[in-house]
Amino acid sequence: MSFEQEWAAHKNDVMMRLNAAGAQGGGQADLKTNASGKTAAANALTTEIEPAAGEAGVTADESTNSAVTGFKGWATATGLKDALEEWGLQVKSLQGRLANDKNALQGAKQNFILDDQDTGSALRRLGGPQLPALYGPGLQPPPFSGPPAPPVHGPFIPDAE
């Protein structure tokens, strides 16, 4: 069996399995996302966790500054000052991580949609059937231009000099 025959058989098998999945483009929908849970978590980050982290940083700054003043002239003051600088960096790092987590939670739905679109696009490039269920409300699939050109076999490209 030649490569082209074997490829055609595999492609036909895949297309039959996709067609058997139903006209809506899939079998059972087993990927679920908890939109309300992600929204609640993002809101908690915004209203509770990020402000609390900022307040904890300020409280530590104030009390450590008081201790630095009290130990003025001692090596302990220098050590506390160094620790306070490191603490400030850690608080900024934590706030950045919390902001990234919040943005990830808020963008998760869009990421799922984009992943579905990428999957559908890859299937269409293979010459698979149209899969309308991969697109959310109000989203249109990109135009389908047909299967890609077959690969060129051999070291030379036809019509090239």
Side-chain angles (χ1 to χ4, degrees):
M1 179 182 288
S2 72
F3 171 79
E4 284 79 15
Q5 291 170 330
E6 186 176 347
W7 174 251
H10 286 297
K11 185 176 171 183
N12 188 39
D13 181 49
V14 169
M15 289 186 69
M16 287 182 359
R17 282 188 275 151
L18 286 172
N19 287 337
Q24 292 303 309
Q28 296 177 355
D30 56 358
L31 176 64
K32 298 197 180 356
T33 179
N34 182 350
S36 62
K38 285 192 283 294
T39 301
N43 287 338
L45 283 167
T46 301
T47 60
E48 297 173 28
I49 299 170
E50 286 178 329
E55 289 171 17
V58 170
T59 301
D61 290 349
E62 292 169 353
S63 61
T64 306
N65 278 330
S66 300
V68 168
T69 304
F71 286 109
K72 189 173 184 177
W74 292 60
T76 304
T78 304
L80 286 172
K81 197 171 192 179
D82 291 344
L84 181 60
E85 288 175 12
E86 183 63 30
W87 174 258
L89 293 173
Q90 294 296 321
V91 169
K92 286 181 183 178
S93 175
L94 174 62
Q95 288 175 324
R97 288 176 54 198
L98 292 172
N100 286 341
D101 289 347
K102 178 179 63 175
N103 291 336
L105 286 166
Q106 292 170 335
K109 180 178 181 180
Q110 184 63 29
N111 288 338
F112 279 125
I113 291 171
L114 292 174
D115 285 346
D116 281 349
Q117 289 174 338
D118 288 345
T119 301
S121 178
L123 289 172
R124 279 187 297 285
R125 282 193 303 269
L126 294 173
Q130 294 294 310
L131 303 172
L134 291 178
Y135 301 96
L139 297 175
Q140 297 298 319
F144 178 68
S145 60
V152 175
H153 298 285
F156 302 103
I157 299 173
D159 300 319
E161 294 185 40

